[in-house]
Amino acid sequence: MADIDPAIMEIVGEIDYDPDELRKRYAYERDVRLRPDKNQQYVETKAEFSHYIDDPYAEPLERDPLNDHTEVAIIGGGIGGLLIGARLRQAGFDDIRIIEKGGDLGGVWYWNRYPGLRCDTESYIYIPMIEEVDSMPTEKYSRGAEIQSNLLKIARRFDLYKNACLQTVVTGLEWDDAASRWTIRTDRGDAMTAQYVVMANGQLSKPKLPGIPGIDTFKGHTFHTSRWDYDYTGGDYLGNLTRLQDKNVGVIGTGATGVQAIPELAKWAKQLNVFQRTPAAVDVRANRPTDPQWASSLEPGWQDRRSDNFNKVSSGIMQDEDLVSDGFSELGRFADPTASWVAAVIGRELTPEEGAFISQTLDDKKMNEIRARIDATVTDKATAEALKPWHRRYCKRPLFSDEYLPAFNRPNVRLVDTAGKGVQRITETGAVVDGVEYPLDCLIFATGFEVGTEFTRRAGYDVVGRDGIELRQYWKDGMKTFQGMFTRGFPNCILVNFGQNAAANSFSFILDEQAKHVAHTLSEVRKRGGTTVEPSQQAVDDYVAEIKPLSFSQSAFWEQCTPSYFNGEGANENPHGFFANVHPAGGVAFYGMLAEWRNAANLDGLEVR
Ligand code: N01
């Protein structure tokens, strides 16, 4: 440490651990988890596995096929679709249709109803349009049901049920150049048309299953967490899973979902077996009820200001105040632009080595804290040791819970650690790890959602643009867009998603910025009397060049990470990977650039006809 500036050492504090030993441990834990089949290890929820994604919540619905016309069709009625609908309504668009697979609107918050579900990002910023619908979350981190009810308030406030098609799965889109419109085909035999189509079918929306040998042989009860079977477990999102009191339950998956569902399962199952492949890095949640005095003191525009402050703080951009002040805000201290807040403190620019040193050291210390919390909470020493994560904080989605670790102190909860290998085999009657079979009545998959496959595979439909060009084919080597939203050859088709744009810690912020972009663009096309809009070839080429070289060069960080969907299960070269196409500007600058583009009101880069 001799040649590190003392001002920097003051910021990072005492180094009371061996960084080299820690690095070696991280590398070892990564290596035991790397698999040659990488992203191919997962089983797609189709064919004999398609029942895992049936809608357990909706009543059967019969209706005649539609072949009518709408000005704007929005595929997906989740947060993205609802915000697009709302922003379009605000911009004066009446003729809107949301097409949604589920039995109601809400998207991820419709599907996910597992017990213990809450938002991970603070509800005051995560739940969109709180001010517009005159609502206020009851807690800092709302339950899923409260989030869903707020989303449905947006739907009602902006009249988005009108003309909506629920329980309808889009199977294909085709551009009709002569008529300047899209034909939308669905699983209900619809052949409706729309001038514009917005694809808001979600990012983590297709459940995935682990490719464990024998997974199709299990004869007990089984389901994926995003289709929770309360008929089987009893209870509801508040818990009370009384029908599990005489059951041996197994859960596979200890990510964001597992960490929330496991404490509830632990309370009710006769025996809960948690099959762990990679330990979860779980920091303090510190949820609390909303203070009514604080809520009534808020001035109009507070939600946008809070969100803006959070985005800056959580990406390391120095602010006078940290309004949200939680675990995600704290991550800004070792996020990529760490240098900017440190530079503000020490009064000079940092060298890249200094930036990396600060980022790494603060990260190490946070992870040491997370590991120490496990020792302090989990009474059985072997269990505590096995629960410790050995990777950098951002290698996986950061997790927060105050209930997860104490669950392992219950006598009916068993951690079945697989030493990074995962469950070896599933049999008719249980799961096998290290040659030992754990008998199970019920096996729950908290194994997450498909990432890193082609957009059209996850969406479940192909898009055929001008001259018969297929999106599947056009993006086979990776996305090619302008602003992550517009694609050459696919006029009037806009993508709202996390793809070729920038990351931010609140996903609903990204979706709202994109929704504003859609509303602005369609309004400007209208003003110009146009009927079609698409990006110029030059605009796409320039945009793709901005993204590609930089995003792939960030792989130094991801390569040393334990595998996850963040780094393509250790294969960062995947052009469809979660972060493969991220814009290098970072969330704050990127969405600022989009806002400036809208302010200029010249649709620069788009061709209107
Ligand atoms: O899924 P995941 P998730 N044997 O992919 C394990 C959002 N979200 O549903 O780490 C054994 O994170 C796998 O193990 P490993 C959020 O963006 C948000 O939890 O790969 N285990 C992992 O533990 C989140 O990131 C919220 O070694 C196997 C788990 O399955 C995303 O959704 C709540 C295995 C999958 O974890 C997905 O979260 C919930 C095998 N063969 C979700 N294969 C909130 O904001 C896989 N695993 C509240």
Side-chain angles (χ1 to χ4, degrees):
M1 303 309 142
D3 38 12
I4 303 273
D5 183 335
I8 291 178
M9 289 309 294
E10 202 159 307
I11 286 166
V12 299
E14 193 195 342
I15 299 182
D16 55 359
Y17 63 97
D18 183 339
D20 295 334
E21 280 306 309
L22 194 60
R23 224 58 63 228
K24 273 192 218 152
R25 179 75 192 258
Y26 284 11
Y28 169 80
E29 297 288 347
R30 176 204 57 207
D31 291 349
V32 295
R33 287 171 175 80
L34 284 173
R35 314 169 38 135
D37 52 358
K38 296 172 183 156
N39 207 32
Q40 306 299 320
Q41 67 181 282
Y42 297 106
V43 168
E44 193 176 356
T45 38
K46 65 174 191 187
E48 75 266 38
F49 298 103
S50 58
H51 62 277
Y52 278 97
I53 55 170
D54 288 347
D55 187 342
Y57 320 122
E59 295 298 323
L61 171 91
E62 293 299 324
R63 68 161 172 80
D64 293 330
L66 293 166
N67 52 14
D68 55 351
H69 181 77
T70 313
E71 186 176 8
V72 188
I74 301 167
I75 304 177
I79 295 186
L82 290 169
L83 289 173
I84 294 156
R87 297 295 178 200
L88 281 171
R89 286 273 196 259
Q90 288 176 324
F93 284 78
D94 275 338
D95 192 10
I96 296 174
R97 165 173 288 159
I98 293 183
I99 307 169
E100 165 58 48
K101 186 193 309 180
D104 203 346
L105 302 172
V108 73
W109 298 102
Y110 168 84
W111 294 110
N112 285 280
R113 300 177 184 202
Y114 58 79
L117 173 63
R118 290 177 182 278
C119 55
D120 261 353
T121 311
E122 194 206 61
S123 52
Y124 313 126
I125 54 170
Y126 178 79
I127 300 179
M129 293 194 146
I130 294 177
E131 288 187 80
E132 284 87 339
V133 301
D134 196 18
S135 182
M136 179 51 69
T138 58
E139 295 171 277
K140 190 168 168 74
Y141 303 97
S142 292
R143 287 190 184 278
E146 182 170 82
I147 300 168
Q148 169 68 347
S149 106
N150 270 271
L151 296 178
L152 299 189
K153 282 183 194 166
I154 298 175
R156 288 191 291 271
R157 161 77 181 74
F158 294 97
D159 204 11
L160 299 173
Y161 281 107
K162 190 173 97 185
N163 213 18
C165 293
L166 300 175
Q167 295 187 52
T168 301
V169 179
V170 171
T171 53
L173 300 181
E174 197 172 342
W175 175 246
D176 178 343
D177 211 35
S180 292
R181 56 178 49 175
W182 287 94
T183 302
I184 304 163
R185 294 185 202 282
T186 77
D187 64 343
R188 290 187 170 272
D190 304 313
M192 29 177 131
T193 58
Q195 184 183 346
Y196 297 101
V197 171
V198 189
M199 303 188 292
N201 29 259
Q203 182 65 30
L204 294 162
S205 52
K206 184 172 174 180
K208 74 178 187 310
L209 295 168
I212 301 171
I215 184 172
D216 52 343
T217 62
F218 184 60
K219 290 248 182 343
H221 197 73
T222 177
F223 57 89
H224 187 274
T225 45
S226 66
R227 305 290 189 274
W228 195 272
D229 189 348
Y230 283 108
D231 283 345
Y232 180 82
T233 64
D236 57 23
Y237 69 96
L238 293 170
N240 283 315
L241 312 175
T242 49
R243 294 186 195 149
L244 296 183
Q245 281 168 324
D246 60 352
K247 302 282 190 298
N248 274 338
V249 178
V251 59
I252 298 186
T254 53
T257 302
V259 160
Q260 292 188 330
I262 284 166
E264 291 303 323
L265 288 167
K267 285 182 205 160
W268 296 98
K270 181 175 85 177
Q271 168 78 46
L272 179 66
N273 299 285
V274 177
F275 296 99
Q276 171 184 272
R277 188 166 70 174
T278 305
V282 187
D283 203 358
V284 175
R285 165 86 302 165
N287 195 13
R288 57 172 185 261
T290 300
D291 172 0
Q293 265 186 330
W294 167 78
S296 61
S297 73
L298 295 166
E299 300 284 339
W302 68 269
Q303 194 182 20
D304 282 350
R305 285 194 294 278
R306 195 174 180 88
S307 174
D308 181 60
N309 176 268
F310 172 77
N311 287 336
K312 288 179 175 146
V313 171
S314 65
S315 38
I317 299 169
M318 184 82 169
Q319 300 296 291
D320 291 340
E321 212 182 349
D322 175 1
L323 293 174
V324 170
S325 186
D326 71 355
F328 270 120
S329 326
E330 190 193 12
L331 288 171
R333 291 169 64 80
F334 37 90
D336 233 13
T338 305
S340 81
W341 71 265
V342 183
V345 173
I346 66 169
R348 67 167 174 84
E349 286 300 311
L350 301 181
T351 64
E353 293 74 26
E354 287 173 328
F357 170 76
I358 293 167
S359 179
Q360 173 93 63
T361 309
L362 293 177
D363 192 323
D364 290 349
K365 291 184 137 197
K366 171 47 75 181
M367 292 300 289
N368 286 342
E369 222 176 278
I370 285 174
R371 288 183 284 266
R373 185 175 181 233
I374 299 170
D375 280 330
T377 313
V378 178
T379 43
D380 179 71
K381 293 301 152 213
T383 305
E385 209 44 47
L387 281 168
K388 288 181 188 167
W390 299 99
H391 55 73
R392 285 188 68 167
R393 185 78 173 122
Y394 250 124
C395 285
K396 289 192 171 257
R397 169 73 147 51
L399 306 175
F400 307 91
S401 168
D402 298 333
E403 288 90 37
Y404 179 68
L405 296 172
F408 291 93
N409 290 335
R410 288 179 175 269
N412 63 325
V413 178
R414 179 196 286 137
L415 177 71
V416 185
D417 183 42
T418 66
K421 296 293 178 202
V423 171
Q424 204 178 329
R425 194 156 33 89
I426 293 174
T427 64
E428 289 188 4
T429 50
V432 179
V433 173
D434 242 351
V436 177
E437 177 171 354
Y438 295 84
L440 301 171
D441 299 303
C442 171
L443 178 55
I444 302 172
F445 291 106
T447 44
F449 303 89
E450 201 171 298
V451 174
T453 50
E454 291 88 344
F455 167 80
T456 48
R457 169 173 148 166
R458 279 176 285 126
Y461 57 85
D462 202 4
V463 187
V464 182
R466 198 191 299 105
D467 303 325
I469 178 168
E470 293 177 351
L471 194 61
R472 186 187 307 272
Q473 200 50 35
Y474 189 61
W475 281 355
K476 78 175 173 6
D477 299 321
M479 293 174 76
K480 284 182 272 181
T481 71
F482 173 57
Q483 297 179 332
M485 299 174 75
F486 306 97
T487 307
R488 178 88 181 155
F490 298 81
N492 295 7
C493 180
I494 308 178
L495 174 68
V496 167
N497 206 301
F498 177 61
Q500 279 192 323
N501 45 26
N505 279 321
S506 172
F507 200 55
S508 50
F509 164 77
I510 297 180
L511 294 170
D512 198 21
E513 291 308 295
Q514 294 185 331
K516 289 175 195 163
H517 220 63
V518 171
H520 168 85
T521 304
L522 301 199
S523 301
E524 289 295 319
V525 174
R526 222 185 217 187
K527 267 192 219 159
R528 288 162 173 70
T531 54
T532 64
V533 59
E534 72 176 303
S536 68
Q537 190 59 55
Q538 190 63 50
V540 173
D541 291 347
D542 292 349
Y543 188 76
V544 171
E546 250 174 64
I547 285 189
K548 281 277 153 65
L550 279 152
S551 51
F552 278 94
S553 74
Q554 288 167 355
S555 54
F557 174 83
W558 297 116
E559 271 162 18
Q560 46 83 42
C561 276
T562 192
S564 78
Y565 76 80
F566 273 12
N567 70 350
E569 304 298 336
N572 208 36
E573 73 278 5
N574 177 2
H576 307 290
F578 193 69
F579 284 128
N581 291 292
V582 174
H583 195 283
V588 173
F590 179 81
Y591 295 104
M593 283 177 340
L594 288 196
E596 272 173 37
W597 183 89
R598 293 196 293 275
N599 284 338
N602 57 14
L603 297 185
D604 193 20
L606 296 180
E607 293 172 354
V608 177
R609 295 196 194 91

